[in-house]
Amino acid sequence: MAEVVIKVEGLCKKYRLGVIGTGMLSKDLNIYWAKLRGKPHPYAKIDGDPKSFEEGDFWALKDLNFEVNQGEVLGIVGSNGAGKSTLLKILSRVTTPTLGEIKLDGRMASLLEVGTGFHPELTGRENIFLNGAILGMTKQEIRSKLDEIIAFSGVEQHIDTPVKRYSSGMYVRLAFAVAAHLEPEILVVDEVLAVGDADFQKKCLGKMRDVSRNDGRTVLFVSHSLQAVKNLCDRALWLDQGRLMDMGEVTNVVNQYASNKKALQWLKEFSGPDEAIGNQWAKVKKAQIIPQLSSPDEIFDIRTPIKVVFQFWNLQDAVRLSVELAVYAYGGECIFVVPSASAVYQKGLIHSECMIPGNLLNNGSYFISLYVVKDTTTTLFEWHECLSFDLEDYRGEIQWYGKWHGAVRPKLPFVVKPIEEHGFNLKGEI
Amino acid sequence: MQQEDKKKWSLIIKPKASWFDLNLHDLWRYRDLLFMFVRRDFVSAYKQTILGPLWYLIQPLLTTIMFIVVFDKVAEIPTDGAPPALFYLSGLVIWNYFAACLNKTSVTFTANASIFGKVYFPRLIMPLSNVVSALIGFGIQLALLFVLLVYFQVFLEVPFYFNGYLALMPLLLLLVAALGLGFGIIISSLTTKYRDLALLVGFGTQLLMFATPVIYPLSFFEGKYKTFMLANPLTPIIELFRYSILGVGDFNMTYLTYSICFTLMALAIGVLIFNKIEKSFMDVI
């Protein structure tokens, strides 16, 4: 019978939204003064209720209860904003819960970031000590593991060079080497493995697995990569909007999470114009993402073409309309905008569809925004970030697993071939 | 169920601890970190510029010269009979240490938000390390003062006045550090809610110097002005420091006792507020 080492009971976290104070004493006094005189809020948003002084609450975590046994590797999955980071922050004691408590048995260390507190002017060796101490090691402990850490990082030759001269890879390797030698009984890891080259990633994953299997340590692991969670974890916990949706054997939970996510984010549908969102010119019937997979077992990744369907009720007669599709990256930058051809339509339901080809977008999370445009110039209706989807990575024969840069990852014809040259060979002999 | 709850947990993360849950045990456990931070400050100050450490000398020297010109030569404010250069510099050495402690610790939360947001350690380690690092600058300036003392002794034949009160030096230093730390962490806690308070601090420290006997002796004041000057807990400290090395100053044990009480109060309030804020500030900043 394994021992329970983490016990989460009724954990809630509330954030206050809106006016938590403006951060300026002068402005807060100004607001207070306006309130006294019954004047509108001086810093209210234009589109907000100008009389409102109320602050909204946002529950990032709602009544979480779970237990983790010793030696377990628990993966935490959930879409953005599900409360994963909040949970980790509370576990790491960076912030406190609003209600409930977490009981821990054993020394805990958390890695929300590698290399926290690294100072560029200090040498690698000095940074090992500094970073180790920040993570909770004593000088003695660090000294006894120093050789191991240096060897693990693979930057022996540069260990007495200031880290500002390190390449980013060396920097991360050194930082992870320190973290990997923490040897806590409970380790909380955020998505820190997304950095570094493939060899090093493998080394880190291996180290994490060893830590739990051989030494009976407990690991909590958060990742967007469902693959990594499946590979590394025994059990998984699925969070959605601050609630615990499911917890159990990793494959089950991850699969459930993945299918649920699709259903929610790939389709928005309304039964009639009355309850649909929209305005006096257009009402939405349906917006949907349909990945063009040849079989249901196929993985939806960067190679998959995506059909976007948009149906709406046009509420005007004889109007020249076109539809626009915009794809945004998770960070908010627009990847591209595609307009349809314009044509004159009468009142009624209009169907539009657009195909985003496979091998175009890079892996990552994307939002789709849809627009109805009149006379190619006036936007009648815009539906911002109505759909979203995640593209899984696919590397094929490429053995490198670092972050693939770029907003897009198009597959372009690339010709590489040897050229016959006469009278010259590479040995330099004519 | 009840049985299981009796299990010993090594750590319980709870919503809000009481005001007095200071967790000093944790602070002690992380003491190595304090010295790592001091070392970091020390090394980075020296590596970045050649002017870095030199600045500790240039600033008090130029200020002393300016004070001599303005307050001694032009305004002819007395210096209790001590050589003006020594009088001003001795005041400045203490004042600068106080100002350094205050300025550095007053931005604890805002300047370290990125580290605080990623990893837990007792937050009090940070301002404590600032106070210790500021000793570097203080040491350099103190050395400068003693060089000047020797110079005056050898070349200008101003005799040494060193007396037994010099033994109180560590206490004075501790008081200045505690006072700077106390006010600093109060301010740093308040600035998490009100950023513009940080602007007031820079301005406020400048003004406070004029309520401290740095450029004039306490004996220069009488009546309510003297009371006003004495309300400043730094006043007895500087006066005592001067007395111990220059043999001039208006000082008695009552003043010092007041200073000690005030400092302890400021520190206690600071630690309590800081402790309260450190748990919630990540959600606000």
Side-chain angles (χ1 to χ4, degrees), chain A residues 13 23 25 102 104 106 139, chain B residues 10-11 13 32 195-196 283:
Chain A
K13 177 69 185 177
L25 185 58
I102 301 177
L104 297 164
K139 214 169 179 174
Chain B
S10 58
L11 174 71
I13 301 171
D32 282 343
R195 297 286 182 94
D196 47 355
D283 306 337

Side-chain angles (χ1 to χ4, degrees), chain A residues 203-268:
Chain A
K203 213 166 156 187
C204 295
L205 290 174
K207 178 90 189 167
M208 269 178 68
R209 211 166 313 165
D210 290 350
V211 157
S212 92
R213 301 260 155 90
N214 305 341
D215 308 342
R217 301 225 175 87
T218 313
V219 181
L220 261 67
F221 177 61
V222 165
S223 179
H224 274 115
S225 162
L226 298 182
Q227 210 50 54
V229 171
K230 272 187 186 173
N231 286 343
L232 203 65
C233 305
D234 319 316
R235 300 215 299 156
L237 184 156
W238 166 23
L239 284 180
D240 186 59
Q241 298 186 352
R243 281 204 185 80
L244 179 69
M245 299 297 280
D246 197 8
M247 183 169 170
E249 200 273 318
V250 65
T251 328
N252 276 338
V253 175
V254 168
N255 288 350
Q256 254 198 63
Y257 161 67
S259 56
N260 175 279
K261 194 170 161 187
K262 285 167 200 162
L264 278 174
Q265 297 172 337
W266 291 5
L267 174 65
K268 297 274 167 75

